[in-house]
Amino acid sequence: MNPSAASSPSLLAADAGATVRRLSRCVGDGELDSPAEMYRVLGALRLLADDLTHLLPALQGRLEDGLLSGRVVHPGTDAVAATWDSVGEVGRALAHAGTVALLMMKELENSQVALRDLATP
């Protein structure tokens, strides 16, 4: 059985972050030594950014589902208005993050295009 298949979403996100940090250390330690490898890394990061553009709306959808089902409730007075305001604020922030992820994906693609001639043996 794949151990990550039974992991919670927060653990999977933490694993993804740890992987990016390991990649950063590898690059910083000089393990990225060829334009061809950099081209492949940029391609993988572009796919990661694309995956984020699909994940962020799904996160918002789950939050909205929780709001509508009553599972997501803001504690305190005027809880209904505060809950709706918080969910709306999260939605705006996630939409902005999605836009940034799309821009990142495009810029990573531009980087790959610019590197293509150097990466070709």
Side-chain angles (χ1 to χ4, degrees):
M1 179 177 146
N2 182 354
S4 65
S7 296
S8 70
S10 61
L11 288 177
L12 291 172
D15 286 348
T19 298
V20 170
R21 287 186 295 280
R22 281 196 322 269
L23 172 61
S24 182
R25 283 191 298 275
C26 286
V27 171
D29 291 344
E31 294 183 36
L32 183 66
D33 59 355
S34 75
E37 180 67 5
M38 183 179 289
Y39 183 88
R40 290 188 292 273
V41 169
L42 290 171
L45 291 173
R46 183 175 52 82
L47 290 174
L48 175 60
D50 183 47
D51 289 343
L52 284 173
T53 66
H54 299 286
L55 173 61
L56 298 174
L59 289 171
Q60 178 63 21
R62 297 301 303 152
L63 185 60
E64 290 170 358
D65 289 347
L67 173 69
L68 295 174
S69 70
R71 292 187 320 271
V72 174
V73 179
H74 195 286
T77 60
D78 202 15
V80 173
T83 302
W84 280 86
D85 287 347
S86 293
V87 170
E89 199 173 313
V90 171
R92 285 186 293 281
L94 288 174
H96 180 72
T99 299
V100 171
L102 281 170
L103 292 170
M104 182 184 297
M105 184 178 66
K106 182 60 180 165
E107 292 304 322
L108 289 167
E109 181 182 6
N110 291 342
S111 297
Q112 271 193 296
V113 169
L115 187 62
R116 187 176 301 147
D117 289 341
L118 295 174
T120 306

